[in-house]
Amino acid sequence: MSRKRREKRDPQQRRAEILAAAFALFAERGFAATRMEDVAARAGIAKGTVYLHFPDKERLFTELASGVASPILGEIEELARNEATPPRAALSMFYALFRRDVLETERRHLLRLILAEGPIFPGVAEFYHREIISRGLGVLRILLARAASRGDLRNPAIAEVPQLVIAPALTSIIWTTLFERYEHLDTGKLFDVFLDTLFLPEGDAR
Amino acid sequence: MSRKRREKRDPQQRRAEILAAAFALFAERGFAATRMEDVAARAGIAKGTVYLHFPDKERLFTELASGVASPILGEIEELARNEATPPRAALSMFYALFRRDVLETERRHLLRLILAEGPIFPGVAEFYHREIISRGLGVLRILLARAASRGDLRNPAIAEVPQLVIAPALTSIIWTTLFERYEHLDTGKLFDVFLDTLFLPEGDAR
Amino acid sequence: MSRKRREKRDPQQRRAEILAAAFALFAERGFAATRMEDVAARAGIAKGTVYLHFPDKERLFTELASGVASPILGEIEELARNEATPPRAALSMFYALFRRDVLETERRHLLRLILAEGPIFPGVAEFYHREIISRGLGVLRILLARAASRGDLRNPAIAEVPQLVIAPALTSIIWTTLFERYEHLDTGKLFDVFLDTLFLPEGDAR
Amino acid sequence: MSRKRREKRDPQQRRAEILAAAFALFAERGFAATRMEDVAARAGIAKGTVYLHFPDKERLFTELASGVASPILGEIEELARNEATPPRAALSMFYALFRRDVLETERRHLLRLILAEGPIFPGVAEFYHREIISRGLGVLRILLARAASRGDLRNPAIAEVPQLVIAPALTSIIWTTLFERYEHLDTGKLFDVFLDTLFLPEGDAR
DNA sequence: CATGAATGAGGATTCATTCAT
DNA sequence: TATGAATGAATCCTCATTCAT
């Protein structure tokens, strides 16, 4: 009896295809509303095959959430390490990378997903805090401290609450995924105005 | 077979109890993972009784989402209307009310809920933009414009991107619902430092 | 607290109103698809009130089915008792009464209902057999025997299978309630042609 | 937890088994009183499996109602087409086939089902008229016309009301499903006497 | 490895019936 | 008596997961 049977594939590639399909669907519909069958269909494979790569739906989600961590962080850490880079330039670069690699790609939905489903999957939130947020805040603290010591900041206390620097980024994610269709937000301006608020104009010593 | 007591109640009160129960559960688990039976149980009534007040789960959710809109907005609009109120005091009050009425109540889960279910219930996102976000930004624009014209702002351009003022609030919600258990965030300081960054120190004219 | 409360009514009349409402709905939708609440609404009373008159839905149905027995039977029995009435005239009268009192009134649905739901409510079928069918066949046997002995019948054996005389009546019920909308049936002709088939032309002796 | 054996089966056969189970239950209890779970149990499969073959209960019913159309009709149409067959023999064969294939099988409940659910599923009644009744009457008209032209009929007008020929069949169904337990009906005799009433004795020219 | 038919626990919704007012 | 809010058993349908092929 002839049976349709896909070519065997490199497991890593197959796995990636499943993750990609799952990502698209989770992002669009959320965790609960996504059916494993749809993930399989979108990946072009049979239902059962998904289970050869992921033990269950929850693990598919958490591996997805953990796996797409952006390389932005690495680039920023490098920038920050180089003391020659002016802090404002580093932050500016951070926002630019964020826009290019997250906000303007499908990855922005991933962040929404984590924010949305995070509390239900504590492992995911924990992973995000440890791998992304904590490291990011670390870099920001260094950058802001350096900026403060250079006298670049309008309010040096900012260095104590680096979450404020993340705020516009989170807000841009939320806005673009939820409200953009009702009212446009110019994210470039958002970040620029924010930087202008944080930093004293160049050559302006107080 | 023992039968629970039938307690008749004022319909408005009963309805409010159901909404409260539903809110707690939706906020905790999300839409899909909340069972109508649990809502009923938490409201202290039988399964069928929920359906005397809401035609189905979806309507329970959407009425809920529309109903918990905070009265903060009204208070702020009033403050802003009064030209005697210094803009910074108004914003300070806004954050204080936000902390008291949202961040420190179960209402803080609302944003997450909208973030999670928004794509599935577009009406909810639309409602939030129209009734909350849009009105909120309107008030902020007025306040910021007034502050700018008074020379209170370090960077008057802020008035053009009032979303920046909302950003710390959104961030505080996300932090407290997702990461607070891993790392504490002092939201009072968050808002204070932000205001200090926005506004020139009192009596400081540029 | 003022409470809407219908005038007290003659219980017999109230009961009749409920039966009428139930009849209309059962006839239209069948037993299962009829809700007690709709019966009450149609009778202009509250849900609970129905239960003051009928212990449950099944009894409402069976009392209905038993209660609307037509007075046709009595009239026919009287006709048959009178030996002066020619058998053919008696049968002709029977069909005429059937058309006027059943086929062309809402009662035709009642019959359909009994045929349809009968096997599920054996009490109803039993009642119908005992009170209607059995008595009807009794009369028919007498009439057909008399006709046979008078030499009126083309096939005297008919007297042994009086169900044949009921057949066109049942068929007319089924046709008018199920197929009339797709293809018209002239029931007057149906019965006339049938009588012409049963009986020899007048004055024709074999 | 013991798990029943998963038996894979030819889809066509599985489908047929489900239809058979559903038919038995619908016929016995009617549409509303039949539970999908019982259908599955009777077919020897799990609840969910039914839904792999039919999208919902309604479709199961309507496909069923359309599917059990008897092959009788085809056989009769063939008989009628052959002009050599004496009309009386053809009708006799029709009743014989009807007894064998409908009256003495579970199919006899079909009429009751249509009678009961017709108003709720108008498509079913329409289907029956179009596919069964209309075609059947067509054949009967041809047969009766031929019989009339050959001078076989006691009353040639019968050809104008072929429903009369169906009447004993319908009556036999109703009797056997409703009243047989209270009073026996000899259906063989029913049809024979009817044919003797319709047709002149052989060799008897009027 | 891959398939997809089969499974059955789970959850939304309905509605006959009850009973406090 | 009459009311209608409240109850909860009953039933349809979904979908994550399994496993024979």
Side-chain angles (χ1 to χ4, degrees):
Chain A
M1 203 179 298
S2 91
R3 188 173 271 280
K4 197 168 34 171
R5 185 182 290 259
R6 257 181 176 275
E7 305 305 300
K8 229 186 291 181
R9 258 182 187 298
D10 174 49
Q12 283 313 307
Q13 189 180 344
R14 176 55 56 84
R15 191 186 149 90
E17 287 169 357
I18 295 172
L19 283 170
F23 174 39
L25 293 172
F26 282 143
E28 186 184 335
R29 311 174 190 177
F31 178 78
T34 295
R35 291 153 62 228
M36 289 298 266
E37 183 157 11
D38 294 338
V39 172
R42 183 159 185 142
I45 57 179
K47 233 182 316 176
T49 306
V50 178
Y51 288 88
L52 298 176
H53 296 267
F54 300 90
D56 56 33
K57 192 182 178 185
E58 186 163 338
R59 283 290 290 281
L60 176 57
F61 180 79
T62 54
E63 301 229 354
L64 179 67
S66 314
V68 224
S70 151
I72 297 182
L73 212 48
E75 302 184 34
I76 295 298
E77 283 175 330
E78 205 145 329
L79 269 175
R81 205 168 295 134
N82 180 353
E83 306 220 351
T85 317
R88 174 168 178 150
L91 281 189
S92 190
M93 180 65 79
F94 166 70
Y95 288 135
L97 288 173
F98 179 79
R99 287 183 67 199
R100 197 195 65 195
D101 288 353
V102 179
L103 213 48
E104 287 166 5
T105 71
E106 288 307 293
R107 202 143 27 178
R108 71 181 186 276
H109 293 297
L110 184 63
L111 203 44
R112 183 183 67 77
L113 211 51
I114 291 161
L115 299 181
E117 315 275 9
I120 297 175
F121 302 102
V124 170
E126 196 271 335
F127 172 88
Y128 255 76
H129 176 257
R130 180 164 37 81
E131 295 297 320
I132 313 287
I133 301 296
S134 190
R135 281 174 59 198
L137 290 180
V139 181
L140 291 176
R141 276 195 192 91
I142 292 172
L143 279 176
L144 293 170
R146 191 183 307 152
S149 73
R150 288 167 46 133
D152 291 352
L153 296 177
R154 290 179 135 142
N155 176 17
I158 282 272
E160 297 166 38
V161 198
Q163 284 90 347
L164 278 174
V165 177
I166 297 181
L170 289 179
T171 300
S172 70
I173 287 279
I174 290 168
W175 192 278
T176 55
T177 56
L178 273 187
F179 305 130
E180 182 66 22
R181 67 166 67 171
Y182 309 116
E183 182 178 352
H184 173 66
L185 172 64
D186 181 339
T187 56
K189 189 172 188 181
L190 181 82
F191 296 128
D192 285 345
V193 170
F194 186 68
L195 286 174
D196 286 340
T197 307
L198 245 49
F199 287 87
L200 287 163
E202 221 160 320
D204 191 358
R206 283 207 117 218
Chain B
M1 206 175 297
S2 90
R3 203 173 258 280
K4 218 190 285 186
R5 176 111 73 271
R6 287 144 196 279
E7 291 193 58
K8 222 172 262 187
R9 252 209 188 337
D10 174 54
Q12 281 313 307
Q13 192 181 342
R14 181 48 63 82
R15 190 187 152 89
E17 287 168 357
I18 296 171
L19 284 171
F23 178 44
L25 293 171
F26 282 143
E28 185 185 333
R29 310 175 189 176
F31 178 80
T34 295
R35 291 155 59 231
M36 289 298 266
E37 185 156 12
D38 292 340
V39 172
R42 182 159 185 144
I45 57 181
K47 237 180 318 173
T49 306
V50 178
Y51 289 88
L52 298 177
H53 298 267
F54 300 91
D56 54 32
K57 193 181 177 185
E58 186 164 336
R59 283 287 293 277
L60 174 58
F61 179 79
T62 54
E63 301 226 354
L64 178 67
S66 313
V68 277
S70 151
I72 297 181
L73 213 47
E75 303 182 35
I76 296 297
E77 283 175 332
E78 204 144 331
L79 269 175
R81 203 169 297 132
N82 181 353
E83 305 221 350
T85 317
R88 176 171 176 147
L91 279 190
S92 188
M93 179 67 80
F94 166 70
Y95 287 134
L97 289 173
F98 178 79
R99 288 182 66 198
R100 196 195 64 195
D101 289 352
V102 178
L103 215 48
E104 287 167 5
T105 70
E106 286 307 292
R107 221 161 355 197
R108 71 179 182 278
H109 295 294
L110 201 50
L111 173 68
R112 194 179 66 72
L113 213 49
I114 297 165
L115 225 49
E117 318 293 355
I120 300 176
F121 302 106
V124 171
E126 197 271 335
F127 172 88
Y128 262 80
H129 175 259
R130 181 164 37 80
E131 294 298 320
I132 312 290
I133 302 296
S134 190
R135 280 174 61 198
L137 291 180
V139 182
L140 290 177
R141 278 196 190 90
I142 292 172
L143 279 174
L144 293 171
R146 192 181 306 152
S149 72
R150 288 167 46 134
D152 291 353
L153 295 177
R154 292 180 132 139
N155 177 14
I158 282 271
E160 297 165 38
V161 197
Q163 284 88 348
L164 278 174
V165 177
I166 296 181
L170 291 180
T171 300
S172 71
I173 287 191
I174 289 166
W175 194 276
T176 55
T177 58
L178 269 184
F179 305 129
E180 183 66 22
R181 66 167 67 172
Y182 310 115
E183 182 179 353
H184 173 66
L185 171 64
D186 181 338
T187 56
K189 189 171 187 183
L190 181 82
F191 296 129
D192 286 345
V193 170
F194 186 68
L195 286 174
D196 286 341
T197 307
L198 245 48
F199 287 86
L200 286 164
E202 221 159 323
D204 189 0
R206 280 210 121 217
Chain C
M1 200 179 300
S2 89
R3 186 174 273 279
K4 197 168 31 168
R5 184 181 292 258
R6 254 174 182 278
E7 306 303 301
K8 228 185 293 181
R9 258 184 187 298
D10 174 47
Q12 282 313 308
Q13 189 180 343
R14 177 53 57 85
R15 191 186 148 89
E17 287 169 357
I18 296 172
L19 283 171
F23 174 39
L25 293 171
F26 282 143
E28 186 183 335
R29 309 174 191 176
F31 178 79
T34 295
R35 290 155 62 227
M36 289 297 267
E37 183 156 13
D38 293 338
V39 172
R42 184 160 185 142
I45 58 181
K47 234 182 316 179
T49 306
V50 177
Y51 287 87
L52 299 176
H53 297 266
F54 300 91
D56 56 33
K57 192 183 177 186
E58 186 164 337
R59 282 291 291 278
L60 176 58
F61 180 79
T62 54
E63 302 228 354
L64 179 67
S66 313
V68 224
S70 150
I72 297 183
L73 211 49
E75 302 183 34
I76 295 297
E77 283 175 332
E78 205 145 328
L79 268 175
R81 204 169 295 133
N82 181 352
E83 305 219 351
T85 316
R88 174 168 179 150
L91 280 190
S92 189
M93 179 66 80
F94 166 70
Y95 287 136
L97 288 173
F98 179 79
R99 288 182 66 199
R100 197 194 64 195
D101 289 352
V102 179
L103 212 49
E104 287 166 5
T105 71
E106 287 307 293
R107 209 152 9 183
R108 71 181 185 276
H109 292 298
L110 183 63
L111 206 42
R112 180 184 68 79
L113 212 49
I114 292 162
L115 299 182
E117 315 273 11
I120 298 173
F121 302 102
V124 170
E126 196 272 335
F127 173 87
Y128 255 77
H129 176 258
R130 179 164 36 80
E131 294 298 320
I132 313 287
I133 301 295
S134 191
R135 280 173 60 198
L137 290 180
V139 182
L140 289 176
R141 277 196 191 90
I142 292 172
L143 279 175
L144 292 170
R146 191 182 304 152
S149 71
R150 287 169 46 135
D152 290 355
L153 295 177
R154 292 181 132 138
N155 177 16
I158 284 271
E160 297 165 38
V161 198
Q163 285 89 348
L164 278 174
V165 176
I166 297 180
L170 288 179
T171 300
S172 70
I173 286 280
I174 292 169
W175 193 277
T176 56
T177 56
L178 272 187
F179 304 130
E180 182 65 22
R181 66 167 68 174
Y182 309 117
E183 182 179 352
H184 174 65
L185 172 64
D186 181 339
T187 56
K189 189 171 187 181
L190 181 82
F191 296 129
D192 285 346
V193 170
F194 186 67
L195 286 174
D196 286 341
T197 306
L198 246 47
F199 287 87
L200 285 165
E202 222 160 320
D204 190 357
R206 281 208 120 220
Chain D
M1 206 176 297
S2 89
R3 203 174 259 278
K4 218 192 286 189
R5 178 110 72 270
R6 289 143 195 278
E7 291 193 57
K8 224 171 259 186
R9 251 205 186 340
D10 174 55
Q12 282 312 309
Q13 191 182 341
R14 182 47 65 83
R15 191 186 151 89
E17 288 168 357
I18 295 171
L19 284 170
F23 178 43
L25 292 171
F26 283 144
E28 185 185 334
R29 311 174 189 177
F31 178 79
T34 295
R35 289 156 58 233
M36 288 299 267
E37 187 156 10
D38 292 339
V39 172
R42 182 160 185 143
I45 57 181
K47 236 181 321 174
T49 306
V50 178
Y51 290 88
L52 297 178
H53 297 267
F54 300 91
D56 55 33
K57 193 182 177 184
E58 186 164 335
R59 283 288 292 278
L60 175 57
F61 179 78
T62 54
E63 301 226 354
L64 177 67
S66 314
V68 278
S70 153
I72 298 182
L73 214 47
E75 302 183 34
I76 295 298
E77 283 175 331
E78 205 146 328
L79 269 175
R81 203 170 295 133
N82 180 353
E83 306 221 348
T85 316
R88 175 169 178 150
L91 280 190
S92 189
M93 179 67 79
F94 166 70
Y95 287 133
L97 288 173
F98 178 79
R99 287 183 67 198
R100 196 194 65 195
D101 289 353
V102 179
L103 215 48
E104 288 166 5
T105 70
E106 286 307 294
R107 224 166 347 200
R108 70 179 182 279
H109 295 294
L110 199 51
L111 173 67
R112 193 177 69 70
L113 211 49
I114 298 165
L115 223 49
E117 318 294 356
I120 300 175
F121 302 106
V124 171
E126 196 270 336
F127 172 87
Y128 261 80
H129 175 258
R130 179 164 37 81
E131 294 297 320
I132 312 289
I133 301 295
S134 190
R135 280 174 60 198
L137 291 180
V139 182
L140 290 176
R141 276 195 191 91
I142 292 171
L143 279 174
L144 293 170
R146 191 182 307 153
S149 73
R150 288 168 44 133
D152 292 353
L153 296 177
R154 292 181 130 137
N155 178 16
I158 283 271
E160 297 165 37
V161 198
Q163 284 89 348
L164 279 174
V165 177
I166 297 182
L170 292 179
T171 300
S172 71
I173 287 191
I174 288 166
W175 193 278
T176 55
T177 56
L178 270 185
F179 305 129
E180 183 65 22
R181 65 166 69 171
Y182 309 116
E183 182 179 352
H184 174 65
L185 172 64
D186 181 339
T187 56
K189 190 172 187 181
L190 182 81
F191 296 130
D192 285 344
V193 169
F194 186 67
L195 286 174
D196 286 341
T197 307
L198 246 47
F199 286 87
L200 286 164
E202 220 160 320
D204 190 359
R206 278 212 124 219

